Every structure is written in C-alpha cells, then in structure tokens.
Amino acid sequence: YPTMETTPAVNEEVLAKTVQRCRERNILLPTFAQLRDPTLIPQGVVDELRSVGLWDLNSRNLFRITWKNEPVARGGGFGEVNALEIPSAITGIKSKIFILLGKFFPTGAHKVGACFGPLVDRLTRGAYDPDKHKALWPSTGNYCRGGAFNSCLMGCKPIAVLPAGMSKERFEWLKSLGAEIHATPGCESNVKEVFDKTKELARTRPDEVVVLNQFEDFSNPLFHYSVTGPAMEEVFHKRTPAGSRLSGIFLTQGSAGTLAAGEYLKEHYPAVKVGAGEAMQCPTLFENGFGAHRIEGIGDKHVPWIHNLRNTDVVAALDDEQCMSIIRLFNTPAGHACLLSHGVSQEVIDKLALLGISGVANMLGCIKMAKLFEFNEHDVLFTVATDSMEMYQSRLQELEAEHGPYTPAQAEIDYQMYLVHINTEYTKECTHADRRRMHNLKYFTWIEQQGKTLEELNAQWYQDDYWTQRWHRAEEYDTRIRAFNARTGLDAHYPAPAKKQ
C-alpha cells in the first residue's frame, strides 16, 4: 500500500520569493503548537494584538486561529477554551454536553483553522507562488470564508467557489474582501457542482489556480487532530467533576475535518464513541441517500476522502426542520420566555446565539447519542459550533416570512417535541458492514470523478497506519514553519516566551 511522503518536494526558487514577500509584509507564521497552547506565542505578538480587531486583515490574526481567544471583538488576549455547557433543562438528559465555540475565531467560524494547514503547507515548501497563483477554496460556505481570510493575511489572492443558495451574508462578506467569487447551481448539498467548477477553473487557468480542497486535503483535519481534540480534552479535565467519563463526540459531516478531533480522543480515550451526523433530507451515510437540505455547512451527498469510517461508531440523520425550529426557539423573545419558564438561566439563554444552524444539529446529535447508549450523569459528550447566528439572521427573517411570527405556543411545541422528547429515530450504532458500506461510497466520488486511485482507497481500509501517518504530522509542519520564520528573519524580533517550570 502507498505510504505518505515524509519529505515533500520543495521548490527552492519559489520558496525564496515567498520568504522575501513575507519579510517585506511582516508576516510571521504561527506553529500548530502555538495554536494549541497560546502561552507559547511570543510576548511581542501578544502585545501587538492588543490593538488588532478579531476580524481585521492583519497577519498577526494568524495567531488567533485558536479556541482560546479572549471572547472580545478587539484587542483580546488568550485564556481558557471557549466552550458552552448545555444544561439538562435544554437537553433533557443527565449527561454533560460541551460545545466548543467557533464564534471567537477570526471570521466568526473555526474554519480558519481548517484553512491554515493547506495554505501554510504549500507556502513553506514553495508549492504556491504568491506573485502568480490564486488560492481556490471549494466550499459550501465557511471554508471559503476562512480560506479567503487566511489568504489575505498571508499575502495571497483568494478564489471562492460555493453554491448560490448559501446565505447572503457569506457572499457579502467575501465580496468585501475582494475575493474572486464563483456561485454554482444549487444549495448546501450540491457539492458536485462545486467540484465541477473547481475542475474547470483548474483546467482553464493551470498556471494561476492552486486548488486547496478541504474534502481531500489532509492538512485540513490536521488542525482538528492537533488543536481541537486537545482543546476538548482540556475542557474535560478542567470543567467536569471527579469520576466523569469522556464518553462521546458527535459532529455533523461537512468536509469531515472536525471528525479528526474524534481521532485524537479515540487514541487517548479508546472507549469514546465517535458519532457522525448529516441531514435526514440527505442521508448519504445513513442509507446511501441524497437530497437538498437547510443545515448549512454539512451533508454534501458524498463521503469525504479524509473521513476515517473505521472509527465511526454512530451515524445520525437529523431533520433540518427540527434544526430550523430550534434556532427560532433560541433566538426569539417567545423562545427565550419558554426556556426561562423551564428553568434555563438567563445567562445561558444570552449565549444560545453562539450556536449556528450546524451547531444546533451537533447538539441534537449529542442528545440522540446519549439516549442511544443510555449515558448517565457521569458521561460527558463534546461537539462544536462551527459558527454563530451572526451568519444566519437572513434565515430567521425568511422563517418569519414563511411561517409568521414565532409565538409562545409554537415555542412550547418546539421545546417539547424537538428537545425534551427527542428520540433516537434515524440514529444507529455502526456495524463493521455499515462502516465498510460507507467507506465504499468514496469510490463513486473520488475514483470515478476525482482521479484518486483504487490502491489508496484500499489502503485507507486495510493499511494499519494509513490514518495515523496523516494525523501525526503537526511537528513536521512546525519544523518547516520555524525554518520559514527563521529565513524571513522575523523570528529574531519575537523571541519565544520562557519555558514553563
């Protein structure tokens, strides 16, 4: 079976130009170790960030690609992992659910993390020439936003390819960055059309376009294995009582990048259950299905190349109507009054807008998984909110236009039906045959359409170390990043903080 190239090719001529460009633009690259543990960030960088807004196009914001940003819009430092515990008054279960919050990343979504590795990988080995190349980010929303942002921070020009049916907030923001935008037919689940446009641009502009495809590039999940998984582990140790068990992680599948956090937890807590979710209206994993849905950022009618199905313990198909009803419950006065009447604190209610649509879906998946395995008060589950409702205000307006004002009666119905009495319908524990079936679905997208080899597809299933080779690469990247910073000369101006005793 094929093995990963441990010393990727370097184009020294292009690399020298890139080093010079970053030197001139004062671009210092963070390491994965620093993103995981910001106490390793040079004090000089921390001081400069005190005058920088979270969304500013300032290269120092590369150091804010972390779960540990101070939750403020401007001038923030670093602290604890941003995570919200969802109380039993909302979930109806005894188990604890912690949701890591993407809202406090630059762009308001954690996808800047997924985009960091693919571009840095190419910059640090001369595979991307900022003078002539453009970085193409195929996406169903937040990935191309994160890619466009990171491109601007690293002195690169972005191209965004995403479905025309995504929220208008996404398109307006991309336009404000000056990104080249290509809107493809369809909605959230029409990823093939995104792939087709990507292939067309790469074919017709081969000397200009560099494709950074989140669905196949293992530099995407590297962030979640190296940073998100350890962040969850840290929350578990710091915010749960003695005797707790780290029992589950549930994540809806978009690119499957965040599921690499499950790979990290599985290595360190072998009993943990890893759950993958999708929309019931597009149940590809659940039953080889297809269709359109409204949970933006997930469920794209294919199985990503980077998804390790051997470690997938649970699959759940989540009703998008349920998710859209819950975002109304969480983001309207009638919904807040309902939650307050059921014992949810005002403090928690004020934070529910930190969950976007897919964050709500992730929470519901955790509840279903807890009920499936009959978890109790000693069990702890983790998930993420990729973004917040900041990107979906237009969706709330559309729901009101379609259904009318959200009433107290409807809020009570949604609370009882979609939270308290949620069941395990369309949720199943995977057998070996289930995992193999889902893995085999990769053939139709990646072998027939995208040019991957059957040999590597089989290696993903049969080669014992195929996945661990790919997860354990952060130090290799960090070595290249440190060498790159040394060549720019910028690292000399930002000495590392003293080592902890």
Side-chain angles (χ1 to χ4, degrees):
Y1 298 111
T3 57
M4 169 151 291
E5 191 67 52
T6 55
T7 53
V10 173
N11 184 324
E12 183 56 41
E13 180 183 353
V14 173
L15 179 57
K17 288 199 305 180
T18 306
V19 166
Q20 177 63 25
R21 186 186 185 94
C22 288
R23 181 186 300 124
E24 293 170 352
R25 299 191 179 199
N26 196 27
I27 298 172
L28 185 71
L29 301 177
T31 62
F32 280 95
Q34 290 168 332
L35 302 181
R36 181 171 58 251
D37 180 6
T39 65
L40 302 176
I41 295 173
Q43 186 59 44
V45 171
V46 176
D47 292 341
E48 290 178 12
L49 285 171
R50 288 176 182 148
S51 61
V52 177
L54 187 62
W55 289 41
D56 288 358
L57 295 180
N58 184 310
S59 65
R60 292 297 175 267
N61 265 333
L62 291 169
F63 288 85
R64 284 182 167 147
I65 302 177
T66 176
W67 294 101
K68 294 187 173 184
N69 289 315
E70 186 180 351
V72 295
R74 187 173 189 82
F78 304 100
E80 299 295 333
V81 175
N82 289 305
L84 177 64
E85 181 180 354
I86 305 298
S88 294
I90 288 178
T91 65
I93 61 174
K94 295 178 180 179
S95 305
K96 291 181 180 294
I97 295 175
F98 287 98
I99 303 181
L100 271 58
L101 301 171
K103 158 74 174 177
F104 302 113
F105 280 81
T107 76
H110 71 62
K111 279 291 189 177
V112 286
C115 303
F116 175 76
L119 190 51
V120 162
D121 171 42
R122 288 159 176 82
L123 287 173
T124 57
R125 55 187 176 88
Y128 183 99
D129 186 342
D131 288 336
K132 71 174 186 178
H133 286 150
K134 286 188 173 183
L136 191 159
W137 306 93
S139 172
T140 54
N142 279 321
Y143 180 74
C144 66
R145 289 182 63 243
F149 185 83
N150 286 357
S151 296
C152 292
L153 266 53
M154 297 189 214
C156 305
K157 297 175 183 177
I159 302 174
V161 180
L162 72 165
M166 304 308 289
S167 67
K168 67 179 183 180
E169 288 91 341
R170 282 181 165 86
F171 285 99
E172 291 170 353
W173 188 84
L174 286 166
K175 186 177 180 181
S176 75
L177 259 62
E180 178 183 332
I181 304 170
H182 295 268
T184 56
C187 63
E188 177 55 52
S189 59
N190 290 95
V191 78
K192 184 182 183 299
E193 290 78 1
V194 172
F195 284 170
D196 290 345
K197 173 56 73 172
T198 297
K199 289 176 73 174
E200 174 194 326
L201 292 170
R203 184 183 69 252
T204 58
R205 297 158 61 180
D207 296 329
E208 181 185 14
V209 170
V210 174
V211 177
L212 301 103
N213 188 339
Q214 62 175 327
F215 301 99
E216 64 174 331
D217 193 323
F218 281 95
S219 300
N220 159 13
L222 187 60
F223 175 82
H224 294 294
Y225 179 89
S226 303
V227 180
T228 304
M232 292 176 173
E233 183 179 38
E234 184 173 325
V235 171
F236 175 71
H237 287 309
K238 289 185 176 181
R239 295 180 57 178
T240 61
S244 296
R245 295 183 291 260
L246 206 167
S247 299
I249 175 173
F250 183 93
L251 296 156
T252 43
Q253 177 199 262
S255 72
T258 50
L259 281 160
E263 300 285 329
Y264 174 88
L265 294 180
K266 200 90 161 169
E267 277 190 26
H268 294 81
Y269 304 87
V272 74
K273 300 292 187 182
V274 177
E278 59 191 354
M280 188 178 75
Q281 287 75 13
C282 185
T284 305
L285 295 176
F286 195 83
E287 57 183 16
N288 306 343
F290 53 89
H293 66 90
R294 295 173 292 171
I295 308 175
E296 298 187 33
I298 75 159
D300 302 312
K301 288 191 292 197
H302 79 290
V303 180
W305 188 249
I306 62 174
H307 188 171
N308 180 10
L309 279 308
R310 272 195 175 274
N311 272 351
T312 302
D313 300 302
V314 173
V315 170
L318 304 151
D319 188 352
D320 70 355
E321 181 61 34
Q322 188 172 355
C323 297
M324 303 310 280
S325 297
I326 295 301
I327 66 167
R328 298 190 85 190
L329 179 70
F330 283 1
N331 293 279
T332 60
H336 290 176
C338 172
L339 293 170
L340 202 60
S341 73
H342 289 288
V344 181
S345 71
Q346 188 63 53
E347 180 184 7
V348 169
I349 289 171
D350 291 342
K351 295 178 179 178
L352 293 176
L354 296 172
L355 279 59
I357 301 170
S358 65
V360 167
N362 281 336
M363 178 194 72
L364 296 175
C366 283
I367 298 171
K368 282 177 170 282
M369 200 158 85
K371 290 189 174 183
L372 180 69
F373 292 113
E374 300 181 304
F375 287 159
N376 61 28
E377 64 273 16
H378 301 296
D379 297 294
V380 181
L381 297 97
F382 280 90
T383 189
V384 304
T386 297
D387 54 20
S388 69
M389 285 304 295
E390 191 168 11
M391 282 291 116
Y392 305 103
Q393 292 303 305
S394 61
R395 296 303 191 210
L396 289 173
Q397 295 163 11
E398 291 163 6
L399 288 167
E400 180 152 343
E402 181 179 357
H403 300 291
Y406 196 62
T407 64
Q410 188 60 52
E412 185 64 27
I413 291 171
D414 291 340
Y415 174 78
Q416 295 293 340
M417 181 180 294
Y418 294 142
L419 287 177
V420 177
H421 295 103
I422 187 173
N423 58 31
T424 57
E425 188 178 18
Y426 291 97
T427 308
K428 65 180 175 183
E429 185 173 9
C430 297
T431 64
H432 179 81
D434 289 326
R435 295 181 178 99
R436 183 67 188 270
R437 171 188 59 79
M438 294 185 292
H439 172 80
N440 288 346
L441 290 176
K442 291 183 181 183
Y443 179 90
F444 303 102
T445 298
W446 297 105
I447 309 301
E448 290 192 340
Q449 299 175 23
Q450 302 300 321
K452 295 292 187 183
T453 66
L454 183 60
E455 289 76 16
E456 189 172 359
L457 181 68
N458 285 331
Q460 288 190 346
W461 189 256
Y462 293 111
Q463 183 180 318
D464 289 342
D465 63 350
Y466 178 92
W467 295 98
T468 53
Q469 284 181 26
R470 284 145 180 81
W471 304 143
H472 296 172
R473 297 193 71 201
E475 182 51 40
E476 175 204 325
Y477 278 53
D478 284 356
T479 298
R480 277 194 272 139
I481 290 167
R482 286 189 288 266
F484 185 92
N485 288 336
R487 288 184 64 172
T488 66
L490 294 176
D491 65 338
H493 302 290
Y494 297 92
K499 290 186 177 181
K500 302 173 188 177
Q501 297 298 320

